[in-house]
Amino acid sequence: MELITILNRCHRFRGFVYQHAHFSADKKSIEVAVRPRRGSAAVCSRCHLPAPGYDQLAERRFEFVPLWGFLVFLLYTMRRVNCRRCGIVAVEEVPWGDGKRTLTKAYMLFLARWARRLSWNETAEAFRTSWDKVFDAVEHVVTFGLEHRVLGQVDAIGVDEIQYAKGHKYLTLVYQIDLDVTRLLWVGRERTIESFRGFFTVIGDELASKIVFVCSDMWEPYLKVIGEKCSEALHILDRFHIVAKMNKALDEIRAGESRRIASEGGVPVLKKSRWLLLKREENLKTEQRFRLHDLLRYNLKTVRAYLLKEAFQQLWDYNSPAWAGKFLDDWCRQVMRSRIEPMKNIARSLRQHRELILNYFRAQKLLSSGVVEGLNNKAKVTMRKSYGSRTFRCLELALYHSLGKLPEPESTHEFF
Ligand SMILES: [Zn+2]
């Protein structure tokens, strides 16, 4: 069986024929000559309709899916058309390629699918290609996906920020968190009011006005935009964010007190206590639990803060917003008397956003909590896998590619 036969079986296009296949001079790649079928007109790349020929350009090489360790190239002499509809001389459009890209569509889809399973570097290595070509492949597939995705109705969204580089470099991510669809809808630069407004520009006012739930953290720019664009929606402060904030405060208190004890030459009781205090007690091993209980006997600021944090967890057991509200008020009052400044800051912030926190209980039956947290963890894994360049564009593509559930370009054959 000849290579041409296989190609005709899996990668055939009307108006073009495979002429012959041969090895390149160095025997490392296979070159397949392609030519237009006699009498078939070239297609204008601007209006996508057949147009009269004008002239020919130099031969171009399109990289195809490699075969048994050989690189495979399709060689084709592009024609130019004199399109009267467009009133210009334009390069023809070929069905296996995408504009100026050097990879065939089939190969780009092939690489992009692997780039979802492996890191981009591993993909490039496995198929003896470059990181840049993997980037191109993912860009092609994601661009198609975003152009062809159907947003439909969106009931619930979650907005979150993610740090992607040192020095306060953040991305804003918006997820759809409906009960039946969870996917990444949008990636934005920074976490400012302007950037988050960009999401609403993309989805349009009509869709935005129908959103029923919005889940976010206490970041003021997000709160402001949500208030402005989704005024009808029930806005929920996410449990995971509140707990994360409290852990951060506790960690600060512990680090400060530990330094103070050391500088005063005291017994370093807080040494190696970080995870004892941050983990939930039920997740500790027996030995750690003993150490924790030992530590709790000391009259330390850290211990008092820890006990306040643990007491707070009860909040999530309530079903009724009214009882949850009463508990929240009691807890905040207690904290305000504690003279532990970082905890007092938390209490102030919780008081300020009291209604949004209680919305968690108003919506609990309808929103599965932890969805945003889960998606955010996946986003972090994706960012690690796309390593090679930490530019915004690269991360944006990688995130849409693995979390966007985007439609893929059609293919003549399942190469992978
Ligand atoms: Zn045209």
Side-chain angles (χ1 to χ4, degrees), residues 8-64:
N8 275 326
R9 181 75 187 218
C10 66
H11 195 248
R12 187 190 179 99
F13 297 102
R14 265 185 70 180
F16 300 91
V17 287
Y18 293 109
Q19 251 180 321
H20 49 79
H22 54 76
F23 276 110
S24 62
D26 63 3
K27 301 281 188 271
K28 281 184 180 156
S29 46
I30 298 170
E31 297 175 337
V32 183
V34 185
R35 66 164 176 79
R37 189 177 291 281
R38 224 176 298 278
S40 75
V43 168
C44 166
S45 56
R46 166 96 63 99
C47 63
H48 315 294
L49 292 166
Y54 181 76
D55 63 355
Q56 289 191 325
L57 299 172
E59 187 178 74
R60 264 183 65 182
R61 297 161 66 84
F62 293 89
E63 199 171 342
F64 190 65

Side-chain angles (χ1 to χ4, degrees), residues 105-124:
K105 286 180 183 172
Y107 191 31
M108 288 194 280
L109 184 58
F110 177 90
L111 284 179
R113 283 181 176 174
W114 275 107
R116 209 184 268 133
R117 300 185 165 208
L118 306 173
S119 76
W120 291 14
N121 272 328
E122 285 167 331
T123 307

Side-chain angles (χ1 to χ4, degrees), residues 315 318 320-333 354 358:
L315 175 72
Y318 285 97
S320 124
W323 284 106
K326 190 181 172 311
F327 174 86
L328 185 63
D329 296 340
D330 289 346
W331 186 87
C332 288
R333 212 171 301 126
R354 185 179 186 273
L358 296 183

Side-chain angles (χ1 to χ4, degrees), residues 12 37 40 89 116 127 154 174 185 218 230 246 260 262 275 283 292 298 305 309 311 314 323 331 342 367 380 411:
R12 187 190 179 99
R37 189 177 291 281
S40 75
V89 171
R116 209 184 268 133
F127 299 101
V154 177
V174 182
L185 288 180
M218 283 181 259
C230 299
M246 213 166 282
R260 185 181 59 79
W275 294 109
N283 297 334
L292 175 67
Y298 290 90
K309 183 199 88 160
Q314 251 194 66
W323 284 106
W331 186 87
L367 255 196
K380 281 177 194 155
S411 175

Side-chain angles (χ1 to χ4, degrees), residues 56 88 100-101 103 140 145 176 190 281 296 314 329:
Q56 289 191 325
I88 49 161
K100 285 206 160 57
R101 294 187 203 270
L103 308 187
H140 161 77
Q176 177 172 8
E190 303 304 325
E281 193 182 337
L296 294 184
Q314 251 194 66
D329 296 340

Side-chain angles (χ1 to χ4, degrees), residues 196-407:
F196 186 31
R197 274 189 190 139
F199 164 70
F200 291 97
T201 312
V202 167
I203 66 163
D205 288 342
E206 160 121 37
L207 224 152
S209 67
K210 290 184 181 146
I211 294 174
V212 189
F213 298 111
V214 183
C215 200
S216 81
D217 66 2
M218 283 181 259
W219 183 244
E220 287 305 326
Y222 292 165
L223 301 184
K224 185 161 188 281
V225 177
I226 291 165
E228 156 190 315
K229 299 284 183 182
C230 299
S231 51
E232 301 295 305
L234 189 61
H235 182 183
I236 300 146
L237 281 192
D238 196 60
R239 162 179 177 170
F240 144 67
H241 287 113
I242 298 172
V243 174
K245 246 188 162 161
M246 213 166 282
N247 277 335
K248 210 175 152 207
L250 177 61
D251 207 32
E252 225 173 84
I253 298 162
R254 182 199 54 80
E257 194 165 41
S258 184
R259 273 196 303 273
R260 185 181 59 79
I261 294 174
S263 74
E264 291 169 359
V267 185
V269 286
L270 284 170
K271 223 178 162 191
K272 295 195 175 161
S273 66
R274 182 162 192 236
W275 294 109
L276 296 183
L277 297 165
L278 293 185
K279 274 190 178 173
R280 298 298 318 273
E281 193 182 337
E282 60 259 33
N283 297 334
L284 295 178
K285 293 188 196 112
T286 317
E287 183 266 323
Q288 291 174 315
R289 210 171 284 184
F290 278 125
R291 279 175 53 210
L292 175 67
H293 284 263
D294 195 35
L295 179 62
L296 294 184
R297 292 184 297 125
Y298 290 90
N299 182 19
L300 292 169
K301 230 185 211 182
T302 309
V303 169
R304 291 199 302 278
Y306 173 81
L307 294 173
L308 287 169
K309 183 199 88 160
E310 283 301 293
F312 186 80
Q313 298 299 339
Q314 251 194 66
L315 175 72
W316 312 114
D317 297 335
Y318 285 97
N319 287 319
S320 124
W323 284 106
K326 190 181 172 311
F327 174 86
L328 185 63
D329 296 340
D330 289 346
W331 186 87
C332 288
R333 212 171 301 126
Q334 202 188 335
V335 171
M336 292 313 283
R337 287 195 301 255
S338 73
R339 276 175 285 156
I340 307 173
E341 206 46 46
M343 291 306 272
K344 282 166 79 177
N345 281 339
I346 299 246
R348 281 186 201 108
S349 154
L350 293 180
R351 271 181 177 170
Q352 193 189 340
H353 302 110
R354 185 179 186 273
E355 284 314 298
L356 298 185
I357 293 164
L358 296 183
N359 279 347
Y360 173 83
F361 300 92
R362 296 182 184 115
Q364 198 174 29
K365 300 286 178 297
L366 296 151
L367 255 196
S368 50
S369 65
V371 177
V372 175
E373 186 183 7
L375 285 164
N376 224 22
N377 286 337
K378 277 191 197 162
K380 281 177 194 155
V381 172
T382 302
M383 289 194 350
R384 274 199 294 275
K385 275 167 69 176
S386 67
Y387 249 116
S389 149
R390 289 230 141 184
T391 61
F392 172 74
R393 180 64 177 152
C394 161
L395 293 174
E396 182 188 31
L397 289 173
L399 289 165
Y400 277 127
H401 190 46
S402 44
L403 300 172
K405 294 192 179 160
L406 298 174

